[in-house]
Amino acid sequence: MSTEAPKPVEKAVEMVNVQIDGEWKQFPKGTRLIEACGQAGKFIPRYCYHPKLSSPGNCRMCLVEMGMPKMGPDRKPVLGADGKPEISWIPRPQISCAQDVSEGLAVRTDSPMVQDCRKGVMEFLLINHPLDCPICDQAGECQLQEFSVEYGNGESRFLEHKVKKPKNVEIGPRVTLDAERCVLCSRCIRFMKEVAHDDVLGFVDRGSHSTIAVHPGKKLDSNYSLNTVDICPVGALTSSDFRFKMRVWFLKETKSFCTSCATGCNTVIGSRENAVYRMTPRENNDVNGIWMCDYGRLNFHTLNSADRLVKPLVRGEKGQEEVSWKEAIARAAAELKALAPTEIAVIVSARMTNEEIWLAKQLISTIGTHLRDIVPRVGEGDDILMSPDRNPNAKMAEMLKISGVVPGADLSEIGRQVKNGKLKGLILLGEDAADIGLTVEELKKLPTLIAVNILKNATTLNASVALPGAGFAEKRGSMINAKGRLQRLNRATNPPGEARDDWEILADLIHALSGGNGLGTIEDVFKQMSAAMPVFAGLSLSKIGDQGVPLQFS
């Protein structure tokens, strides 16, 4: 007799028939009407509605005509000549953002009544709105601009003075408010209450003087405060960091993901002329929904730092000297060949891509050392998106056994051997030796100190060979987030000066140490990985896609 538990029977999704502008469509029961219209190709304008938040129905921009089937004496729908129910239309317009579809529901999205309603709402919203589009940060992605062109009037009938409201108010360390642009949609209020769980925003005053404000004695200082800027449909809330920096239509947008913690929130990197200006969240319901923390989105400033390494450096008689890449790689290989494997240690960054960590493991094997580890980064997590693991790719380092059961457990031993002189060669890939307790004096005494990094720090400034690498927005590659999802980095800008991709640096160093045919592209590196690691079997960088791929671990 079988002891297997019976498999649960999946309940079929109930579909309902809905008439949209005269055409009958089917939608799953419970679908919001505004979403159903969008799926049918009938866009409904909106300000207050957001699919990830509750629906207050306070902007009235989504008004439509709505009706239900006429019912006969037998309480059954009266059918017309086409066999479809005849509709009894409600005489007043209804909001579509707070209405779920139901059997027989009918809607008109562009009737004369609906058009008049939209024009009225737009006229009402623009009565006190300032004419500052030329200096507004939201210009180019403002729904008020777009809807005023499509649904508004070409002139105003308002002859009185506009109501003046507070401008340029810092309501938090990262958010600036221009209250007179606000259309009172309440998206920011609902986000802070429902998603960020920090209910600090609300409406004050009444009528034309209503405005959003921070509760007395509080600030909008949540780690998720900049999401209010993302969802603001107008220019009322702006990022203090991005404010007046760049027009959005000049930005090149590149799909990528955040490397500030193990969550790997999907992002859009906005760049121009080889500089990153902002990072905003990109929707991926399997990772971050449509949100992103402030900590992650502002971590791009190191890419534009004046302390970037831009040329290979080697230790000379008068300090560090700039050399060519060929000389730097040859010097690093010669120094490593002069040491025994037991005299060398390698510290790998768990902020590197899969391809870079894969080549780092090959470098370790080529050298023959058994002393290697990663630098753990632990911070305070939350129940929203922030992971306590600040390394974005510790999973790959664990899979390749770069680190032990406890990441960072061998760092103290590496530091001890450097201090007692037993260790004569130290390779740091994207890390600073100061993080493991080594002083500048101890670093200077090391005969061989090879550092690959993007910034000048205690290690690179005292390295026997310092090699400039690329930042997360300057390279391609893949990483595995905390939930085992493989995601792809895309290049938004080029590395500054003579800096190169880290995988190229590692491949050249391995080639200089052991020979071989080398690698032509990063796709070749991924191909090596997929051939050797079953978890990547059948995958390539292009197959990862914009949304990532969940990996199956044995």
Side-chain angles (χ1 to χ4, degrees), residues 77-128:
V78 176
L79 302 180
D82 59 355
K84 300 291 185 180
E86 293 185 7
I87 303 301
S88 176
W89 295 98
I90 300 172
R92 291 178 295 181
Q94 308 292 316
I95 56 173
S96 59
C97 68
Q99 171 72 42
D100 289 347
V101 296
S102 59
E103 181 62 36
L105 178 68
V107 60
R108 292 171 178 160
T109 67
D110 199 34
S111 65
M113 178 196 291
V114 172
Q115 292 177 11
D116 286 344
C117 288
R118 289 172 182 169
K119 287 181 180 180
V121 170
M122 286 303 306
E123 185 175 21
F124 177 75
L125 291 177
L126 291 171
I127 280 177
N128 290 303

Side-chain angles (χ1 to χ4, degrees), residues 418-474:
V418 170
K419 292 175 182 179
N420 64 23
K422 185 178 179 181
L423 202 65
K424 294 181 172 57
L426 183 59
I427 303 174
L428 290 111
L429 305 177
E431 297 290 0
D432 186 358
D435 292 337
I436 63 171
L438 293 177
T439 64
V440 171
E441 290 71 23
E442 290 164 341
L443 294 177
K444 287 181 178 179
K445 292 178 182 178
L446 269 173
T448 298
L449 177 59
I450 299 171
V452 179
N453 214 313
I454 67 170
L455 295 175
K456 297 174 183 176
N457 54 37
T459 301
T460 56
L461 292 174
N462 294 281
S464 60
V465 181
L467 305 172
F472 71 91
E474 301 164 350

Side-chain angles (χ1 to χ4, degrees), residues 138-373:
Q138 194 75 2
E141 50 187 5
C142 175
Q143 290 183 352
L144 193 66
Q145 283 183 341
E146 295 168 0
F147 293 164
S148 65
V149 171
E150 190 165 355
Y151 306 109
N153 291 314
E155 57 186 16
S156 174
R157 297 180 293 173
F158 188 68
L159 302 177
E160 309 299 327
H161 292 294
K162 291 179 181 287
V163 174
K164 305 299 182 184
K165 295 180 182 180
K167 284 187 69 67
N168 196 22
V169 179
E170 294 185 0
I171 59 174
R174 295 172 292 279
V175 180
T176 301
L177 168 67
D178 287 298
E180 59 186 17
R181 297 174 183 166
C182 179
V183 295
L184 305 177
C185 71
S186 79
R187 283 186 181 184
C188 56
I189 298 172
R190 285 174 284 140
F191 170 82
M192 293 305 300
K193 181 178 181 179
E194 299 167 12
V195 180
H197 309 301
D198 186 16
D199 192 9
V200 298
L201 295 177
F203 287 131
V204 296
D205 297 330
R206 305 189 67 170
S208 296
H209 296 274
S210 289
T211 184
I212 59 168
V214 183
H215 293 178
K218 294 188 177 182
K219 286 188 176 183
L220 182 62
D221 56 2
S222 164
N223 189 32
Y224 294 88
S225 65
L226 285 171
N227 288 282
T228 63
V229 176
D230 296 333
I231 61 177
C232 181
V234 292
L237 295 177
T238 55
S239 165
S240 302
D241 179 74
F242 182 69
R243 189 176 171 92
F244 301 136
K245 293 283 180 66
M246 182 61 60
R247 285 300 193 185
V248 296
W249 54 77
F250 289 136
L251 295 178
K252 181 186 74 172
E253 295 189 339
T254 306
K255 295 178 180 179
S256 193
F257 65 89
C258 175
T259 60
S260 295
C261 81
T263 301
C265 294
N266 286 212
T267 63
V268 173
I269 301 173
S271 62
R272 189 190 184 203
E273 295 179 349
N274 217 43
V276 176
Y277 283 89
R278 72 174 182 180
M279 280 174 49
T280 51
R282 176 168 57 89
E283 185 172 8
N284 187 334
N285 291 322
D286 293 314
V287 181
N288 57 302
I290 202 168
W291 317 119
M292 185 181 182
C293 75
D294 295 359
Y295 168 79
R297 77 166 74 209
L298 294 177
N299 265 358
F300 68 86
H301 286 293
T302 54
L303 300 174
N304 304 328
S305 172
D307 289 330
R308 286 295 299 269
L309 285 174
V310 294
K311 289 187 177 181
L313 303 171
V314 298
R315 188 188 291 163
E317 294 180 0
K318 297 181 180 180
Q320 288 185 320
E321 303 170 352
E322 294 180 357
V323 296
S324 68
W325 272 103
K326 186 176 180 179
E327 292 174 289
I329 295 294
R331 171 76 173 268
E335 290 185 3
L336 291 172
K337 288 178 179 179
L339 300 176
T342 55
E343 296 177 315
I344 303 172
V346 182
I347 297 177
V348 179
S349 176
R351 295 181 294 189
M352 300 173 77
T353 65
N354 293 329
E355 294 78 10
E356 293 161 359
I357 295 177
W358 170 260
L359 291 174
K361 178 64 181 294
Q362 289 189 22
L363 176 63
I364 292 169
S365 300
T366 301
I367 294 170
T369 181
H370 295 286
L371 201 54
R372 74 287 184 101
D373 210 338

Side-chain angles (χ1 to χ4, degrees), residues 21 48 295 360 421 526 549:
D21 290 340
C48 68
Y295 168 79
F526 197 98
V549 177

